[in-house]
Amino acid sequence: DAGVTQSPTHLIKTRGQQVTLRCSPKSGHDTVSWYQQALGQGPQFIFQYYEEEERQRGNFPDRFSGHQFPNYSSELNVNALLLGDSALYLCASRPGTSGRATYNEQFFGPGTRLTVL
Amino acid sequence: KQEVTQIPAALSVPEGENLVLNCSFTDSAIYNLQWFRQDPGKGLTSLLLIQSSQREQTSGRLNASLDKSSGRSTLYIAASQPGDSATYLCAVPQYNAGNMLTFGGGTRLMVKP
């Protein structure tokens, strides 16, 4: 089991550019969430995808958008990058179709480090 | 709105000490609480998931307790080792919000040889 995988590992962009980050969930998981972690802080929830739809969204602007594919993998897109978007972006997955999904443990990927210059 | 706080923010101890890391949350209506470990610049590794019906969960030298009524959880690390040096984060899922996790700010632990 490969666990949650993310690509790329590191990315450097300039202000105003657009970026796409990718995530493959753990085998057997169909729910994917994205988090932003600024240096020295805990992760902040961006949004969650299940059945190819955005189900929940945190307090992030529309510049942040996503997509989930039929194989449950997901993309995070950020437009018009700002210096403040520099952070570690984490993807998490869990099974969403279990009757006890609420209780299920969430597993995180290694993250993508985004630097905006 | 759920808020999660971790104390202390940083901790430095000599090898071999037993440690207690604290996590508090404002809304006691939680299903579970999860403790994570994060090495510098890396992703999160799940350490323990403690359900709301449980009071304790153990894995090796780690023991997590949960007191929902007081809004507190502790992570106990026995016989600390330099390899335990990392940031430890606690998180609770938001009810009726797809289990979005609300995290504390973390405790940065350094265990000196």
Side-chain angles (χ1 to χ4, degrees):
Chain A
D1 183 2
V4 180
T5 60
Q6 293 186 243
S7 63
T9 305
H10 296 91
L11 207 50
I12 298 175
K13 293 285 187 178
T14 57
R15 280 179 296 174
Q17 285 190 311
Q18 178 265 342
V19 68
T20 298
L21 310 182
R22 295 176 177 81
C23 170
S24 291
K26 184 177 170 65
S27 178
H29 290 186
D30 56 10
T31 301
V32 173
S33 300
W34 287 92
Y35 291 80
Q36 180 195 65
Q37 187 179 24
L39 201 61
Q41 298 182 20
Q44 298 290 319
F45 175 78
I46 303 175
F47 44 53
Q48 181 184 87
Y49 278 83
Y50 171 63
E51 292 186 335
E52 301 179 48
E53 290 189 14
E54 182 182 297
R55 300 291 178 167
Q56 298 291 339
R57 188 178 184 92
N59 189 25
F60 279 80
D62 292 344
R63 298 187 297 109
F64 289 77
S65 64
H67 189 78
Q68 186 178 36
F69 299 93
N71 67 352
Y72 308 126
S73 66
S74 177
E75 287 182 348
L76 164 65
N77 301 292
V78 187
N79 294 323
L81 285 167
L82 305 173
L83 295 179
D85 295 332
S86 295
L88 181 68
Y89 288 84
L90 297 163
C91 172
S93 74
R94 67 171 177 85
T97 52
S98 163
R100 291 174 62 81
T102 304
Y103 297 79
N104 284 316
E105 189 173 2
Q106 300 203 33
F107 294 85
F108 282 76
T112 293
R113 170 70 63 186
L114 172 64
T115 302
V116 182
L117 303 176
Chain B
K1 177 190 171 188
Q2 179 76 269
E3 292 182 4
V4 181
T5 304
Q6 290 187 248
I7 294 173
L11 188 60
S12 180
V13 300
E15 182 178 4
E17 279 204 3
N18 299 324
L19 309 171
V20 175
L21 308 183
N22 297 296
C23 171
S24 61
F25 45 93
T26 54
D27 185 351
S28 62
I30 63 171
Y31 285 106
N32 58 53
L33 184 144
Q34 201 165 350
W35 281 95
F36 294 91
R37 169 185 172 137
Q38 185 174 35
D39 293 297
K42 305 295 184 183
L44 307 182
T45 299
S46 180
L47 297 173
L48 290 165
L49 173 72
I50 182 165
Q51 305 289 1
S52 60
S53 58
Q54 299 175 309
R55 293 193 64 84
E56 283 190 6
Q57 188 71 265
T58 298
S59 176
R61 295 183 293 109
L62 304 180
N63 175 276
S65 67
L66 176 63
D67 184 344
K68 278 183 56 177
S69 60
S70 67
R72 293 181 183 177
S73 176
T74 60
L75 179 66
Y76 176 84
I77 303 176
S80 59
Q81 303 171 358
D84 295 330
S85 298
T87 296
Y88 292 82
L89 294 148
C90 66
V92 293
Q94 184 82 9
Y95 177 65
N96 277 346
N99 283 348
M100 59 165 273
L101 293 177
T102 300
F103 283 85
T107 293
R108 191 170 65 254
L109 173 66
M110 177 171 291
V111 181
K112 296 177 286 188

